[in-house]
Amino acid sequence: MPEYILVIDTGCAFIKTAIFDLEGKEIGETKTNLPFTYTHPNQYTRDLDKIWDTITKLIKKVLVLSNVSPNDIIGVTSVGYGNGLILLDKDGRPSCGAIASRDSRAKDLVQELFDQEDERKLRQYTLQTVWAGQSTMILKWLDLYNPEIIHKSSHLLLAKDYSNYRLTGNISTDKTDISAVSLYNVKEHRYDDRLLDLLGILKYKHLLPKVKESTDLHGHVTEVAAVETGLNAGTPVITGICDVVGSSLASGLVNTKNKENLLLNILAGSWTVDQYLTTTPQVEDRIFSTRIHPNKNHWTVSENRATSTSNIDWYIENFLPKESLRAEKEGISIFELTNRALASTKPEDTDIVFLPFIFGSNIGSEIKNGSELKATFFNLRMSDKQEHIIRAIYEGLTFSHLYQLHNMFTSIPQTLLVKLSGGGSASREWAQMFADTLQVPVETTKCTNTNALGAAICASIGLGRYNTFEEAVEKMTHFNERIDPNPENKDIYADKFFKYTSLISKLTGTPYNYY
């Protein structure tokens, strides 16, 4: 009898369901775009009932399209975007809509923490910087400006936890998710009253969910959820994982035993994510986030901001409507057309500089008048064509990753081996750009939905099919070709990155030296 794992993936742009076998092969996937609603300045929410309605429809659809019987689903698990905020009342009803991690209503509160140097004190416990879309900061904002929402709330959840709750009626989260929201002592794996008191939210400790391992049993599919989803009542539900940590697992980052190469996962999805594993928690100011990895005694060190493929989505939606229709008629993805634009151009063909900051920047400094740094095209010429602009966008996204890597490393280690995952791994042309820019080899994951595969890996262990993460990762992760850097492009991209950082320096008034 075949055995499959069903994964619910609640992303910032798309909600997906996917079915994997125990060798990591994706049997089927369904997805739909469920955008957040822009309600007030800097505020993004989703209706929680619509989220669940979307999930139930996608589960039924993926079972049919994959020709998989519910009897063959040995377990269900969830993965989701980190941070943002979901609040439920004592009856399990929404206190408000699901708040997005791109929400920035709390940006002034973040600045206050930096101004008062409380951010440095917090880092001793959280091992990460604070930012506006974090659950902690949104909770603080609600406490100040909309306290009635918190007063009627009994439970704080994160994105993946809500689908688990609707499946089982149980509420909990996992360490990878809670360790990213500045509510948890990441060194000691526990809630800490000292941290909550420093944040001024100790009074809301009762909202915090029980914390489990990613491989723990969360509960079982209820009779009600079985009717809603088409799954069998009693199917085990495994707790699951935060999306970026799931991607690290599915990219082969399971421990630090590989001494020949430092493995780096570049997740080129809606967010620009760069991460590696360590056995020593990182407290350095220059590190954006250190969070708990599901493999015991490991932590994930990462830089992650909203400066990646969401910029491409924006450009396609606003400037490529005809091309999108053409791609639809040809039965291909619009991204196939953007890949053709990359393939038809060379790095020396254009001098356009694109700063990919449509949804926020990964630059600590602000521009001179105190406002946030925004996206821009610089150095456009009359002779530039559509394909040159598309290339410039992809180069800007790549340089955004490189900028983050220079925060993580004083120089790019030549022992680096990049595991490229996310939607970007489907583009060989983009993978070559990463290899040429970094001048290190790049391997692309066969599965582009590595967030969901990482959750399936956790479930396979929780269900007893594999004993260790090492064993599960070895069996369930697979890679395409290894792409070596072209040394002829080294100086071209170095010069372009210099122009990229110089433009940022001019706009922020802050020098940037990366040599």
Side-chain angles (χ1 to χ4, degrees):
M1 175 174 142
E3 294 185 320
Y4 301 111
I5 295 167
L6 187 144
V7 180
I8 300 166
D9 182 358
T10 305
C12 287
F14 291 93
I15 294 179
K16 305 176 185 178
T17 56
I19 295 175
F20 292 91
D21 66 17
L22 292 174
E23 294 182 351
K25 180 181 178 182
E26 189 175 51
I27 306 302
E29 177 186 286
T30 57
K31 67 178 181 179
T32 190
N33 185 12
L34 187 64
F36 284 90
T37 302
Y38 182 77
T39 51
H40 298 287
N42 305 316
Q43 298 184 23
Y44 294 85
T45 60
R46 267 180 184 156
D47 182 279
L48 281 162
D49 288 330
K50 286 184 180 179
I51 291 174
W52 179 242
D53 182 60
T54 299
I55 288 171
T56 58
K57 290 176 180 176
L58 289 175
I59 290 174
K60 290 177 179 177
K61 187 175 180 180
V62 77
L63 289 170
V64 171
L65 292 179
S66 304
N67 196 28
V68 170
S69 166
N71 298 328
D72 297 332
I73 300 294
I74 60 171
V76 182
T77 190
S78 294
V79 63
Y81 63 86
N83 284 281
L85 188 67
I86 294 173
L87 292 170
L88 304 181
D89 65 18
K90 61 182 177 61
D91 298 318
R93 295 295 304 151
S95 301
C96 60
I99 300 174
S101 56
R102 69 170 57 166
D103 192 285
S104 59
R105 69 184 74 184
K107 62 180 182 179
D108 291 340
L109 299 181
V110 172
Q111 191 59 51
E112 286 178 16
L113 286 176
F114 276 93
D115 291 344
Q116 297 166 8
E117 297 192 357
D118 284 340
E119 194 273 345
R120 188 179 294 269
K121 298 174 186 175
L122 289 171
R123 187 180 285 269
Q124 300 305 308
Y125 304 104
T126 66
L127 309 186
Q128 58 204 260
T129 191
V130 294
W131 48 284
Q134 271 193 314
S135 309
T136 299
M137 302 312 299
I138 298 170
L139 192 64
K140 282 178 65 66
W141 188 93
L142 290 174
D143 180 41
L144 286 172
Y145 300 109
N146 212 336
E148 62 272 16
I149 287 178
I150 305 183
H151 293 160
K152 68 180 180 181
S153 300
S154 296
H155 306 285
L156 182 154
L157 288 78
L158 300 167
K160 77 172 192 318
D161 305 330
Y162 183 67
S163 55
N164 283 346
Y165 162 67
R166 294 299 297 260
L167 286 169
T168 67
N170 299 332
I171 290 177
S172 70
T173 191
D174 83 298
K175 290 181 179 180
T176 68
D177 241 346
I178 201 66
S179 66
V181 303
S182 287
L183 288 170
Y184 202 64
N185 188 320
V186 177
K187 280 185 182 177
E188 301 178 10
H189 291 227
R190 65 180 179 89
Y191 290 122
D192 194 320
D193 286 357
R194 296 170 298 177
L195 166 61
L196 299 176
D197 188 47
L198 184 59
L199 286 162
I201 54 175
L202 182 58
K203 58 188 173 182
Y204 297 128
K205 185 178 180 180
H206 65 281
L207 297 176
L208 302 181
K210 180 179 179 181
V211 181
K212 295 186 173 185
E213 301 289 346
S214 299
T215 55
D216 282 349
L217 179 69
H218 178 84
H220 296 84
V221 175
T222 65
E223 296 284 352
V224 171
V227 172
E228 293 175 318
T229 62
L231 296 166
N232 287 342
T235 303
V237 178
I238 304 302
T239 302
I241 197 168
C242 180
D243 56 1
V244 296
V245 184
S247 178
S248 74
L249 265 182
S251 301
L253 277 68
V254 66
N255 56 44
T256 58
K257 291 180 179 177
N258 189 336
K259 298 301 183 183
E260 292 92 26
N261 293 102
L262 171 61
L263 298 183
L264 175 78
N265 173 216
I266 290 181
L267 174 56
S270 298
W271 283 58
T272 300
V273 180
D274 306 291
Q275 53 188 341
Y276 65 90
L277 297 192
T278 181
T279 55
T280 306
Q282 305 291 303
V283 195
E284 299 178 57
D285 289 351
R286 64 186 177 85
I287 299 297
F288 179 75
S289 176
T290 299
R291 68 181 77 188
I292 297 168
H293 190 269
N295 202 15
K296 189 176 181 181
N297 297 325
H298 284 77
W299 285 261
T300 304
V301 179
S302 68
E303 287 280 338
N304 43 296
R305 308 293 173 93
T307 56
S308 195
T309 59
S310 52
N311 289 268
I312 302 174
D313 296 336
W314 164 82
Y315 187 77
I316 289 171
E317 181 180 348
N318 289 282
F319 299 100
L320 299 181
K322 292 181 181 178
E323 289 81 359
S324 296
L325 286 174
R326 194 175 92 216
E328 187 177 347
K329 288 180 181 178
E330 292 182 21
I332 61 174
S333 166
I334 180 62
F335 295 104
E336 175 61 30
L337 295 184
T338 60
N339 285 337
R340 291 176 189 174
L342 288 181
S344 67
T345 56
K346 298 177 181 179
E348 62 266 29
D349 287 348
T350 177
D351 290 325
I352 302 172
V353 178
F354 175 64
L355 302 186
F357 304 149
I358 294 293
F359 298 103
S361 81
N362 56 357
I363 309 302
S365 304
E366 297 177 329
I367 58 177
K368 295 173 184 178
N369 65 2
S371 60
E372 293 178 309
L373 194 61
K374 298 293 193 298
T376 187
F377 287 98
F378 177 74
N379 220 23
L380 280 166
R381 302 171 300 183
M382 186 177 68
S383 58
D384 286 320
K385 303 287 193 297
Q386 185 79 262
E387 57 266 29
H388 298 126
I389 294 174
I390 291 172
R391 167 170 280 277
I393 293 174
Y394 277 94
E395 288 179 351
L397 306 186
T398 306
F399 295 152
S400 177
H401 281 277
L402 184 56
Y403 195 101
Q404 291 188 170
L405 290 175
H406 278 287
N407 285 337
M408 300 174 75
F409 307 109
T410 53
S411 61
I412 303 300
Q414 289 306 297
T415 57
L416 206 64
L417 176 59
V418 170
K419 304 285 189 172
L420 180 62
S421 61
S425 65
S427 169
R428 193 193 187 285
E429 290 77 15
W430 197 8
Q432 186 68 60
M433 186 181 292
F434 274 112
D436 292 352
T437 301
L438 294 168
Q439 285 296 299
V440 298
V442 171
E443 291 182 355
T444 56
T445 56
K446 281 193 175 179
C447 176
T448 58
N449 191 1
T450 46
N451 300 339
L453 178 56
I457 289 170
C458 292
S460 73
I461 298 170
L463 295 164
R465 271 38 178 196
Y466 296 111
N467 295 318
T468 65
F469 279 101
E470 286 80 5
E471 181 185 10
V473 166
E474 181 181 358
K475 297 289 186 181
M476 297 180 71
T477 60
H478 309 282
F479 299 92
N480 293 314
E481 63 181 315
R482 173 179 167 135
I483 298 171
D484 291 314
N486 180 352
E488 293 181 3
N489 290 332
K490 178 181 178 180
D491 291 341
I492 298 173
Y493 280 119
D495 181 61
K496 288 192 165 201
F497 185 59
F498 176 77
K499 292 175 181 175
Y500 176 91
T501 56
S502 295
L503 178 58
I504 290 171
S505 295
K506 289 289 186 182
L507 292 172
T508 61
T510 304
Y512 180 77
N513 298 311
Y514 66 95
Y515 286 117

